[in-house]
Amino acid sequence: MDKYGVIFLEQAKLFLDGLDEKTRKKVIFNIWKSKKVNDPELFKKLTDEIWEFRTKYLSKQIRLLAFWDKTDKTKTLVISSNGFIKKTKKTPKGEIERAEQIRNDYFEQKKEEK
């Protein structure tokens, strides 16, 4: 059974669409796998609010940043906000800040819809 559902926001979808098919399939497979098992090699906490789906494929470090949405009482969601190919040891601060901004916008919009 899946521990959570995953939703891809527009920037994450655009990033995935920009990957070649085999790489995209590997990323999606790792996300599916992370929903079944606790493995920090697949899904790791970066800050209080931001997590990353991690994929290493063909010597590329592919990252999709994400955050939790536990506002629905029936299903916990992980919202994938944006992605990038990691070129340094540390996750770029700008990518984390972008994910935090997308998270803020997501919850603000969700509040307005109620």
Side-chain angles (χ1 to χ4, degrees), residues 5 11 15 17 21-22 28 30 39 41 46 51 65 79 86 89 91 95 97 101 107 109 111 114:
Q11 289 188 36
F15 172 75
D17 288 347
E21 186 178 351
K22 284 185 176 184
I28 299 298
N30 279 356
D39 184 350
E41 291 299 313
L46 293 178
W51 291 64
L65 299 187
I79 312 299
K86 192 169 162 188
K89 278 201 176 266
T91 299
E95 294 292 345
E97 289 170 351
Q101 184 59 54
F107 284 113
Q109 183 178 349
K111 229 190 288 181
K114 283 187 177 180

Side-chain angles (χ1 to χ4, degrees), residues 25-36:
K25 283 183 177 181
K26 179 66 173 173
V27 171
I28 299 298
F29 174 79
N30 279 356
I31 291 171
W32 174 84
K33 192 173 170 187
S34 76
K35 294 179 351 179
K36 310 273 185 213

Side-chain angles (χ1 to χ4, degrees), residues 72-95:
D72 184 350
K73 303 287 185 246
T74 59
K75 183 144 181 131
T76 299
L77 297 174
V78 172
I79 312 299
S80 181
S81 58
N82 55 307
F84 61 97
I85 295 176
K86 192 169 162 188
K87 295 182 170 92
T88 62
K89 278 201 176 266
K90 284 191 155 198
T91 299
K93 188 176 179 190
E95 294 292 345

Side-chain angles (χ1 to χ4, degrees), residues 2-55:
D2 292 348
K3 294 183 279 181
Y4 50 82
V6 177
I7 293 177
F8 298 95
L9 297 181
E10 193 60 32
Q11 289 188 36
K13 288 179 189 175
L14 290 171
F15 172 75
L16 288 171
D17 288 347
L19 299 174
D20 65 84
E21 186 178 351
K22 284 185 176 184
T23 303
R24 183 172 45 252
K25 283 183 177 181
K26 179 66 173 173
V27 171
I28 299 298
F29 174 79
N30 279 356
I31 291 171
W32 174 84
K33 192 173 170 187
S34 76
K35 294 179 351 179
K36 310 273 185 213
V37 296
N38 284 333
D39 184 350
E41 291 299 313
L42 297 174
F43 191 52
K44 180 180 174 186
K45 187 174 188 175
L46 293 178
T47 69
D48 285 345
E49 304 295 342
I50 304 300
W51 291 64
E52 69 179 352
F53 288 109
R54 305 159 52 100
T55 300

